[in-house]
Amino acid sequence: MKDFEEEVGVKDIIGFYIKINDSARAKKDMAKLSAKDKATAFSLIVESNAGREFKIEIARYFVNDLDAHIRRKAELLLEALIPGWVADPAASILQVLRSAEHKGPARRNAAVRFLFGIVDADSLRITLTSLLSSRNRSHIVEIIDILEQYIDASEDETEQVKIFNACLDIVLSDEIEMPVKHHATNLLSVFFKKVSTTALGAHLKAKYIEKQVEKGESVYRFLCSGTCGLTASYLEDLLRPLQEGGKVYQLKILTYFCFLLDKTWNEDEVDNHIDTWPESWEPEEITKMDKVKRFRSSILKQVEELWEFAADDEVRDGIMAVVYSGHPVKRELLSTVKSKLTGGGLSDLASDKIARILHSFLKSDQHEELKPQAANLLLFNVSGARHHLAALRYLREYLEKSSLNAAEQSSLATVLLQFAASAAGNEERVMAWLLVFLIDPCKLEEAEQHKQVLGLLRTVIEHEVLADYSRARMVAALERFASEIKSTEKLKKAAAYLLFRLQNPHEKPTWDKIEKR
């Protein structure tokens, strides 16, 4: 009953505007109606005795409406009222192309050159944009098929460059909608397949990557400025050159994705980083968090696919850092990682990926309580000096910064000695001994251990910028070594030298100064 009353209300309103012949007010009031009422209003206007100009003005106003149903009604009305008007320019173009197909390849190619405007890249881009905007999928498929045949048959390099430039302009445009960009990208794929083995193909491929990286960089800078949030179009611009854009670009974008994904878990904050308004080309509106979920899924899918193209360790670390950021509850993620590592049966590839996720736990500025667990898993459940050294570097920082009680320090020393006893490489073994030395030098009993630790400590003191807490921990350990450990005169002198360097960082050490200390 309610719907009937609303329909009657719409009928009265439209009838009034038709009677007074006021299309300007009619279209403004129609724009405020729901999709259902708008469709009802259109049907009433089509069937009414309203004047031709009234109907044309209403139809022109709604021919670009976001609602596809309304848009189609407006197109059909214009087709009925204006001779030669077509809602889809591709339809009339295709009629000519089809007629030329039966007259041989030369006539077909001439028709393509004329109708698509292959005289310069600008006119070709405008024509392609118009044709690829067709809402009739069968028309688009046929257009692309004809263009693919034309590209395959083309022997003119100048002409090929025009087609390339036109498609590239469409792909990189800020004003063209995503479906059109998708079709232009497909045409570029066909083009590259044809010229892949030629010098022209190599040159244009390099240009294609270079231009896309430039566009991705500009979008990245714009997003970092905070002027607006990430849109679907901007996301495509960032992702498109990701596989071939090189290490510098990849690391920059992966870092941005880590930041972005962390923000997507906060519903109150996500609007500051992602544009959650509906896209004009979306068939139907989706909720804000559904759109955020779609963005997150796209990012994770493309980033995980990048693994196959990346051989660099930094890039692979960045990939797994994004995967880490894609998990909302880090405690649950660590629990999953632990169960997989301790369960056994993992391939080398799976173990490597999990190890890199554990690196992300150590690098994060959050969840401090989870980091010692992650470090322990790296030491005892993952192979590889790189992973072990990362865990030991974290444990050194943890030891120097934290106020561990005697029992906690003793427990940590026991774990480190256990690791050192089974370590495959000397570098990781000595690093573990160094941490034991910083806890309690007396726990290292052999002169060779003291020698190796003092050598590593010298490298650290001479080449690292040490924080006050690091310096204090080292001074305390060296003083205990000098006073409590029975060692050779050479090692005692080495310890005295290191103490002088720590306590007098701006003085040049001499043995006279060291002995007078």
Side-chain angles (χ1 to χ4, degrees):
M1 184 66 182
K2 183 179 179 183
D3 289 345
F4 175 77
E5 289 173 353
E6 288 177 352
E7 187 171 325
V8 170
V10 172
K11 184 177 181 179
D12 290 339
I13 292 168
I14 297 304
F16 172 74
Y17 286 131
I18 290 173
K19 189 172 183 179
I20 65 173
N21 195 29
D22 192 341
S23 57
R25 289 174 62 189
K27 65 188 181 184
K28 288 179 182 178
D29 279 356
M30 282 177 65
K32 300 174 185 177
L33 297 175
S34 67
K36 179 182 176 182
D37 287 344
K38 208 182 289 181
T40 301
F42 251 105
S43 297
L44 291 168
I45 290 171
V46 170
E47 296 166 5
S48 73
N49 59 355
R52 179 174 177 275
E53 294 304 321
F54 182 99
K55 291 181 177 180
I56 288 174
E57 185 169 352
I58 295 293
R60 284 191 188 280
Y61 187 80
F62 289 101
V63 76
N64 293 312
D65 194 87
L66 292 179
D67 188 308
H69 187 54
I70 301 301
R71 197 165 55 233
R72 186 57 184 154
K73 281 181 173 289
E75 290 169 351
L76 290 172
L77 186 53
L78 286 172
E79 285 180 350
L81 295 172
I82 303 175
W85 194 94
V86 287
D88 185 353
S92 56
I93 294 287
L94 284 172
Q95 287 178 6
V96 179
L97 290 174
R98 286 170 187 153
S99 65
E101 270 190 319
H102 303 297
K103 299 175 182 177
R107 289 292 296 273
R108 184 206 63 194
N109 291 346
V112 171
R113 275 193 294 273
F114 173 73
L115 293 170
F116 285 88
I118 305 179
V119 290
D120 59 66
D122 285 340
S123 63
L124 176 57
R125 175 179 53 79
I126 293 167
T127 307
L128 279 177
T129 302
S130 174
L131 294 175
L132 296 178
S133 298
S134 168
R135 297 184 183 95
N136 187 318
R137 182 166 177 78
S138 63
H139 288 171
I140 293 176
V141 170
E142 198 165 347
I143 288 170
I144 291 176
D145 182 58
I146 291 170
L147 278 174
E148 287 177 4
Q149 292 175 37
Y150 183 82
I151 291 170
D152 280 338
S154 175
E155 299 293 338
D156 186 337
E157 287 194 354
T158 303
E159 191 174 82
Q160 291 170 4
V161 171
K162 289 175 185 175
I163 295 171
F164 167 82
N165 286 335
C167 290
L168 183 59
D169 283 349
I170 292 171
V171 170
L172 299 181
S173 172
D174 287 329
E175 299 166 358
I176 295 173
E177 293 184 337
M178 292 300 299
V180 179
K181 289 188 176 188
H182 173 74
H183 297 312
T185 302
N186 288 343
L187 282 173
L188 280 172
S189 298
V190 174
F191 174 81
F192 284 129
K193 186 177 179 181
K194 172 182 171 61
V195 299
S196 60
T197 58
T198 66
L200 174 66
H203 171 73
L204 293 182
K205 184 69 174 179
K207 179 182 176 181
Y208 177 66
I209 295 169
E210 178 188 344
K211 291 294 183 183
Q212 293 207 87
V213 169
E214 284 179 8
K215 181 59 183 285
E217 293 266 14
S218 67
V219 168
Y220 166 79
R221 290 192 296 271
F222 181 64
L223 292 170
C224 288
S225 72
T227 305
C228 79
L230 182 70
T231 64
S233 179
Y234 287 154
L235 179 58
E236 284 291 323
D237 290 331
L238 295 177
L239 291 173
R240 205 178 296 112
L242 192 59
Q243 292 180 359
E244 299 173 304
K247 177 180 175 180
V248 173
Y249 179 78
Q250 288 165 347
L251 289 176
K252 190 177 295 183
I253 302 307
L254 290 171
T255 302
Y256 169 71
F257 285 156
C258 285
F259 164 80
L260 183 73
L261 289 180
D262 281 335
K263 300 300 181 184
T264 63
W265 301 112
N266 186 336
E267 189 169 348
D268 296 328
E269 193 179 354
V270 72
D271 282 325
N272 297 328
H273 305 283
I274 291 181
D275 182 355
T276 54
W277 285 91
E279 303 284 358
S280 60
W281 43 266
E282 289 280 9
E284 57 184 48
E285 187 174 342
I286 60 173
T287 67
K288 178 175 86 171
M289 293 314 292
D290 280 344
K291 185 169 184 180
V292 170
K293 186 177 179 181
R294 183 186 293 179
F295 272 61
R296 192 186 301 127
S297 176
S298 295
I299 290 170
L300 289 171
K301 180 177 181 294
Q302 293 292 325
V303 167
E304 288 178 10
E305 288 178 0
L306 175 62
W307 181 276
E308 301 300 325
F309 298 84
D312 185 87
D313 268 332
E314 279 189 82
V315 175
R316 288 192 162 187
D317 282 346
I319 291 169
M320 299 319 294
V322 174
V323 174
Y324 167 85
S325 297
H327 286 264
V329 184
K330 300 301 187 282
R331 187 177 296 278
E332 290 181 4
L333 174 61
L334 185 61
S335 177
T336 302
V337 165
K338 182 178 180 180
S339 65
K340 287 185 177 181
L341 284 174
T342 55
L346 289 176
S347 66
D348 290 343
L349 176 60
S351 294
D352 186 31
K353 288 185 175 182
I354 286 177
R356 293 174 195 272
I357 289 178
L358 290 171
H359 282 243
S360 296
F361 276 96
L362 301 184
K363 293 175 184 176
S364 171
D365 57 359
Q366 301 173 353
H367 308 289
E368 294 293 330
E369 74 284 1
L370 301 179
K371 292 182 178 181
Q373 298 176 53
N376 187 69
L377 288 170
L378 279 171
L379 287 178
F380 293 101
N381 297 94
V382 174
S383 60
R386 179 176 179 270
H387 303 311
H388 296 157
L389 290 171
L392 291 167
R393 280 191 291 271
Y394 162 73
L395 287 173
R396 179 187 143 196
E397 182 183 15
Y398 173 67
L399 172 64
E400 291 172 344
K401 278 180 152 182
S402 304
S403 300
L404 300 178
N405 60 39
E408 289 170 330
Q409 292 192 54
S410 177
S411 176
L412 179 56
T414 301
V415 168
L416 290 166
L417 286 170
Q418 181 186 348
F419 169 76
S422 61
N426 189 60
E427 185 179 2
E428 50 199 299
R429 183 185 303 111
V430 176
M431 175 75 85
W433 286 342
L434 172 60
L435 299 190
V436 174
F437 182 88
L438 293 176
I439 294 170
D440 182 359
C442 298
K443 290 185 180 293
L444 297 178
E445 299 174 352
E446 299 176 11
E448 182 61 25
Q449 291 176 320
H450 299 153
K451 178 183 175 181
Q452 299 244 26
V453 165
L454 291 174
L456 177 57
L457 199 53
R458 177 174 181 171
T459 301
V460 170
I461 291 169
E462 291 182 346
H463 295 93
E464 287 187 17
V465 178
L466 298 175
D468 289 342
Y469 55 79
S470 297
R471 197 178 297 277
R473 170 67 72 168
M474 292 174 188
V475 167
L478 287 167
E479 286 178 342
R480 282 195 69 184
F481 175 79
S483 62
E484 298 179 23
I485 304 291
K486 290 183 179 181
S487 186
T488 65
E489 188 63 27
K490 188 175 182 179
L491 291 178
K492 292 286 186 181
K493 283 186 175 182
Y497 166 79
L498 296 176
L499 266 172
F500 183 89
R501 288 296 303 265
L502 286 167
Q503 294 171 330
N504 306 277
H506 303 297
E507 286 190 43
K508 185 177 179 180
T510 65
W511 283 115
D512 287 341
K513 291 180 181 178
I514 293 170
E515 288 171 356
K516 289 176 182 177
R517 185 184 63 84

